[in-house]
Amino acid sequence: GELGQSWGKGMSGTVIHNAPEYPVIDPEPGFGIIFRGMRTGEFVAWGFHTALGLPAGWIAGSPGLKRYSAGLGVVMFSVSGLLLGMTDSFYRILGFKENAAEVKRLGVYADKKKSASA
């Protein structure tokens, strides 16, 4: 449907999202634009999560498997940090969070649509 109509349905069949409050950059964003839409703080948080994975995995590991569990901790924490950052970026690109910096850098969907049809 059109933007602002039914963005998703809950288990009861009711609409769970309202229309975006901010300009929509891309109504169907892919990985590339979501990654480009991440802010510096989100990259820092991703790095922090990755670094935190080493000691967390080491502490959680059994005596004979500490190196392996530390490596797994790094991978798991890194993925979780990346997904957290990408989630915020995703909401900004869809217009559900403040996105002035992204609009300036990436443009607005309506403007892109007009220039593509011209």
Side-chain angles (χ1 to χ4, degrees):
E2 287 294 312
L3 284 177
Q5 288 180 349
S6 177
W7 275 82
K9 295 195 178 280
M11 291 173 56
S12 64
T14 59
V15 176
I16 58 172
H17 292 295
N18 295 323
E21 295 180 34
Y22 302 96
V24 175
I25 296 169
D26 189 337
E28 296 179 13
F31 177 83
I33 194 167
I34 294 171
F35 192 81
R36 286 191 315 270
M38 287 175 63
R39 294 181 177 174
T40 304
E42 291 156 352
F43 283 107
V44 170
W46 179 22
F48 179 74
H49 275 196
T50 303
L52 192 61
L54 184 71
W58 183 268
I59 291 167
S62 301
L65 300 172
K66 287 204 179 275
R67 284 187 295 167
Y68 299 108
S69 63
L72 181 60
V74 167
V75 170
M76 289 176 59
F77 276 61
S78 180
V79 169
S80 70
L82 175 63
L83 292 176
L84 284 172
M86 288 182 72
T87 300
D88 274 349
S89 176
F90 180 74
Y91 284 128
R92 285 193 303 273
I93 289 168
L94 287 176
F96 289 109
K97 285 190 166 189
E98 182 279 318
N99 62 3
E102 291 75 16
V103 166
K104 186 176 181 181
R105 201 168 23 127
L106 301 170
V108 178
Y109 179 70
D111 296 340
K112 292 178 196 174
K113 194 174 174 184
K114 285 178 193 173
S115 64
S117 64

